[in-house]
Amino acid sequence: MKLERIKHGFNFVAPYYDLFSYLLFQGRLLHAQTHYFDRIGKVDSILIFGGGTGKILPPLFKTIEFNSLTYIDISGNMLKKARRNCEAYESDHVTKIEFIEGSTEVLNKNQQFNLIITPFVLDCFSDENLLKVITKLDEHLEPGGTWLFTDFNEDQDFGIISDMRSAFIKSLYFVFNLFCPLGITKLPRFGGAFSQLNYSTVAQTQMLHGLVVGRVYQKLASPDREYQ
Ligand SMILES: C[S@@+](CC[C@H](N)C(=O)[O-])C[C@H]1O[C@@H](n2cnc3c(N)ncnc32)[C@H](O)[C@@H]1O
C-alpha cells in the first residue's frame, strides 16, 4: 500500500533529514514555520501534523502557551527523534505532548483543537489527497481556530525567478521520490484546496524569494463562505 511505502521512505530518511535540510536551507525552513508563532499567544490544544524530527518544538515551547499538544507523524523514526528533541529541551512539556504514529486516521472522532500546524507536510499529497486530508483535519479544528500553514510555493506568475523556483521544486521532488515514493512530481494547489473549506486568510508571507509561503488561516465560525 502507498502509505506504507511513504512511511518506510520517511523512516529511511529520518536520520539524515535535518542535515539534508540544513545543507540546503540553513535553518530557513524552520524559521518559516515558526514565523507566526508570536501572534498565537495562548491556546488550549494544538495539533502538529507531519512535524518530522521535532525541530519545531523548542521554538513553540518558547512562544506558545498550551495545555495539550498532539504530535502526529506517519514515520516512527521521525517521532523517535521528535521525542528526543523534546526531552532534551525541557521535560515539563513532555507530559503535555502525545506523540502518535500514523496519519489522520489516528485522530479520535470528537477530538477538537484550537490550533493546527502543518509544516511542510501538505506537499506530500496529490491534489485529490490534499483535499481529503485537509477536510479531515478541518473536522478537528474548533470554529474560530487557527491553522498555521507553511509550505513550498509555486505561484502562477512568470519570469526567471518563477522558472528557477519551479525547477528547484521539481528537483526536490525528484530527489525525494528516490527515497520516499510520494508518487507526485509537483506541488498540489494549496490555495485552491483551502478555498473549498470555510477559512479566511488572516496573514500571509513569502520567504526565500517566494519559494516558501506561510499563511495564517482562521476557521470561520459560521458556515457561510467569506468572499474576499
Ligand atoms: C517533508 S517532511 C517535513 C518535516 C517537518 N515538518 C519539517 O519541516 O522539517 C514531511 C513530514 O510529514 C510526515 N508525513 C508524510 N506523509 C504523512 C501522512 N500522510 N500523515 C502524517 N505524516 C506524514 C513525514 O513522515 C515527515 O516527517
Side-chain angles (χ1 to χ4, degrees), residues 3 10 17 33 49-52 73-75 78 102-103 119-121 125:
L3 263 189
F10 277 110
Y17 186 86
Q33 57 194 268
F49 183 76
D73 200 287
I74 200 168
S75 154
M78 289 282 191
S103 192
F120 296 97
V121 56
F125 299 95

